[in-house]
């Protein structure tokens, strides 16, 4: 007896359940990451202003170094999800283990570079004479945790590819709690000062990496996957990561240019810009969670040779992106009277903030679709196109943003340029998605 085909409504419901089940835990894990820094800042802040200034410089360097290697999560998610779709779990886990070995190699190289160059790096960032010693201390100790942080990225990609975003959430919560307890104990209990904060974070990161490795190794043993490093697999992972590295660096360049332009506009503008950037980043976490679900689901459909299923879930995720962006934009406008006083009591900053904030709110539906399509193309392993698209976006954004001060524009004009940047990204990603060239089925792209 043949089973009746699922109705379009039933298919949509199935997609919705899958998107929510992956996106909600992913959002929790993403939000846990910046909370690490907030805890460190709160604890170190009570030691004194020079210590907090040193932490700010060192943590900026560390977060930049780690964010550059976010491709370890993205590329691994897509590769593992394809093999899951193809029904080859041993190969999927094997691919993930290659990503973890690559993370260890890259992490070790970063540590080897950071330890001797820490004083120079801190000096480049313009640290004061009082803050520099604390920044160097924190940077050198915390850099020892970079291999663990990169392993966490790669292992997170493995689990996302296996359609598991709950385990990363649990590990992130446990890591956050351990980090807070260790920081308090080592900074104040043991009297180690800022060095105690750095050691507490390193220990928490190593603990998180160990938890991930336990889960991955257990899966490897269950499915008979080898744990030994495979040079060809590691090389393939690195090659897949290069285009995503270019994409990430281009995006970081956009944010750096925006901050540099805001600094030229005046103190009130740069203060308001920092507030908006914080809110923009928070909303990006919510939209990125949907993109992560897209990476995992699209990769699985393509691995299963289901091109129609990939197209259907892509369409549904675009709808999710539009609605999520619209809701976030509306919340931003409605809650403005509540959060603005929390950030600043300066009326000049508040007056500068309002019109720029409205521009950001109106652009959120565009951002929602951009994040979703970014996730779809990452899940398809379409990294080279994403790299070229982001380079083109940077080429359009940079001159427009740099002209803002010259033409007498303020912060609203700058965030108009940021909206232009997201619109260019939307156009490039939409064109690629409509072309269908991203749809390459099979266990490997």
């Amino acid at each position: 007896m043949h089973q009746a085909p699922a109705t379009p409504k039933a298919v949509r419901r199935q997609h919705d359940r899958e998107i929510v089940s992956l996106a909600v835990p992913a959002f929790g894990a993403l939000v846990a990451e910046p909370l690490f820094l907030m805890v460190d800042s709160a604890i170190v802040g009570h030691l004194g202003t020079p210590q907090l200034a040193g932490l700010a410089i060192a943590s900026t360097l560390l977060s930049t170094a780690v964010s550059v290697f976010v491709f370890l999560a993205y590329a691994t998610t897509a590769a593992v999800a394809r093999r899951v779709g193809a029904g080859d779990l041993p190969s999927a886990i094997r691919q993930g283990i290659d990503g973890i070995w690559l993370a260890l190699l890259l992490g070790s190289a970063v540590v080897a570079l950071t330890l001797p160059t820490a004083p120079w790096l801190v000096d480049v960032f313009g640290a004061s004479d009082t803050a520099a010693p604390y920044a160097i201390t924190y940077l050198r100790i915390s850099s020892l945790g970079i291999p663990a942080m990169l392993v966490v990225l790669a292992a997170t990609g493995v689990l996302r590819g296996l359609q598991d975003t709950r385990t990363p959430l649990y590990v992130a919560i446990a890591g956050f709690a351990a980090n807070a307890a260790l920081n308090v104990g080592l900074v104040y209990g043991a009297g180690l000062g800022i060095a105690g904060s750095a050691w507490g974070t390193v220990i928490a990161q190593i603990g998180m990496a160990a938890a991930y490795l336990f889960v991955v190794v257990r899966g490897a043993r269950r499915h008979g996957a080898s744990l030994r490093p495979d040079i060809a697999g590691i090389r393939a992972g690195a090659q897949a990561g290069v285009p995503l590295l270019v994409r990430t660096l281009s995006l970081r360049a956009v944010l750096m240019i925006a901050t540099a332009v805001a600094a030229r506009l005046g103190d009130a503008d740069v203060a308001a810009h920092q507030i908006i950037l914080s809110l923009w980043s928070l909303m990006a976490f919510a939209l990125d969670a949907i993109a992560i679900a897209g990476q995992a689901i699209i990769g699985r459909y393509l691995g299963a040779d289901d091109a129609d299923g990939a197209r259907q879930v892509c369409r549904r995720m675009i709808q999710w992106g539009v609605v999520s962006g619209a809701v976030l934009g509306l919340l931003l406008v409605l809650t403005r009277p509540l959060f603005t006083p929390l950030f600043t009591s300066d009326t000049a900053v508040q007056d500068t903030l309002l019109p720029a904030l409205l521009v950001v709110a109106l652009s959120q539906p565009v951002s929602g679709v951009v994040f979703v399509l970014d996730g779809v193309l990452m899940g398809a392993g379409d990294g080279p196109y994403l790299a070229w698209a982001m380079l083109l976006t940077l080429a359009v954004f940079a001159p427009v943003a740099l002209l803002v001060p010259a033409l007498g524009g303020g912060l609203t004009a700058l965030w108009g340029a940021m909206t232009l940047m997201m619109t260019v990204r939307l156009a490039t990603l939409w064109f690629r998605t409509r072309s269908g060239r991203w749809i390459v089925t099979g266990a490997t792209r």
Side-chain angles (χ1 to χ4, degrees):
M1 187 174 180
H2 294 291
Q3 189 176 358
T7 64
K9 192 173 182 180
V11 171
R12 283 198 303 271
R13 281 180 180 170
Q14 179 193 338
H15 289 156
D16 290 346
R17 279 195 300 270
E18 204 165 20
I19 292 165
V20 169
S21 68
L22 289 171
V24 172
F27 175 68
L30 288 168
V31 169
E33 293 172 21
L35 289 177
F36 265 73
L37 180 57
M38 287 177 64
V39 168
D40 288 5
S41 300
I43 293 168
V44 170
H46 289 287
L47 294 173
T49 300
Q51 288 91 331
L52 186 58
L55 172 68
I57 291 165
S59 62
T60 300
L61 285 163
L62 287 162
S63 62
T64 300
V66 173
S67 67
V68 161
F69 297 111
V70 74
F71 70 82
L72 287 165
Y74 294 157
T76 306
T77 298
V80 171
R82 273 185 177 270
R83 286 162 176 78
V84 168
D88 189 354
L89 277 176
S91 178
I93 294 170
R94 174 68 257 180
Q95 183 73 31
I97 289 166
D98 290 337
I100 290 171
W101 279 112
L102 177 61
L104 283 169
L105 288 171
L106 291 172
S108 301
V110 174
V111 173
L113 286 171
T114 304
L115 288 176
T117 60
W120 176 78
L121 290 168
V122 167
D123 185 56
V124 166
F125 265 66
S128 66
D129 291 339
T130 52
Y134 297 112
I136 293 166
T137 297
Y138 192 92
L139 181 59
R140 277 185 165 153
I141 296 170
S142 289
S143 69
L144 300 175
I146 287 177
M149 294 167 78
L150 298 192
V151 166
V152 166
L153 281 178
T156 300
V158 176
L159 295 179
R160 287 174 183 169
L162 294 170
Q163 318 295 297
D164 175 11
T165 56
R166 289 181 182 273
T167 301
L169 173 61
Y170 300 148
V171 174
I173 291 170
F176 171 72
N179 181 58
L182 286 164
N183 266 261
V184 172
L186 294 174
V187 171
Y188 298 117
L192 295 179
I194 195 168
S197 176
W199 280 117
T201 302
V202 168
I203 294 167
Q205 288 161 348
I206 291 172
M208 290 173 69
Y212 275 116
L213 288 174
F214 173 79
V215 173
V216 173
V217 169
R218 186 179 61 183
R221 285 178 176 162
R222 185 185 305 139
H223 296 286
S226 172
L227 297 173
R228 292 178 180 176
D230 176 55
I231 301 302
I234 293 169
R235 191 186 300 119
Q239 287 171 347
V242 169
L244 296 179
L245 175 62
V246 172
R247 169 204 166 274
T248 301
L249 290 173
S250 302
L251 189 53
R252 295 289 297 188
V254 164
L255 298 177
M256 287 173 67
I257 290 168
T259 300
V261 170
R264 290 191 203 172
L265 298 175
D267 289 348
D269 292 88
V270 76
H273 174 74
Q274 190 57 41
I275 294 168
I276 293 174
L277 202 56
S278 300
L279 294 165
W280 193 73
S281 298
L282 181 62
M283 291 186 291
F285 281 129
L287 298 173
D288 203 25
I290 302 171
I292 286 167
Q295 292 172 33
I297 297 169
I298 290 291
R300 196 188 75 230
Y301 271 105
L302 293 176
D305 291 323
D306 189 351
D308 288 338
R311 286 191 190 92
Q312 286 176 9
V313 78
C314 175
R315 283 195 292 268
R316 189 58 177 164
M317 294 200 76
I318 289 170
Q319 293 167 0
W320 268 83
V322 172
V323 172
S324 300
V327 169
L328 287 171
L330 187 61
L331 282 173
L332 190 65
V333 173
L334 293 177
T335 58
R336 182 190 59 81
L338 300 175
F339 66 72
T340 303
L342 296 176
F343 283 107
T344 181
S345 57
D346 188 328
T347 53
V349 176
Q350 291 181 357
D351 291 344
T352 306
L353 185 67
L354 176 58
L357 209 57
L358 291 174
V359 171
V360 174
L362 289 170
S363 69
Q364 283 310 294
V366 171
S367 297
V369 178
V370 166
F371 274 83
V372 163
L373 295 182
D374 211 34
V376 165
L377 296 183
M378 279 187 195
D382 204 11
Y385 182 83
L386 289 171
W388 285 112
M390 199 61 226
L391 284 170
L392 173 63
T393 302
L394 175 61
V396 173
F397 168 78
V400 174
L402 294 171
L403 279 172
V404 167
L407 297 176
L411 190 66
T412 304
L414 175 59
W415 276 93
M418 287 289 282
T419 301
L420 171 66
M421 179 271 294
M422 292 302 286
T423 305
V424 173
R425 287 188 74 189
L426 174 63
T428 56
L429 298 176
W430 187 269
F431 172 78
R432 184 64 167 183
T433 308
R434 293 288 293 174
S435 75
R437 292 177 186 169
W438 58 280
I439 299 176
V440 179
T441 58
T444 57
R445 183 176 172 87

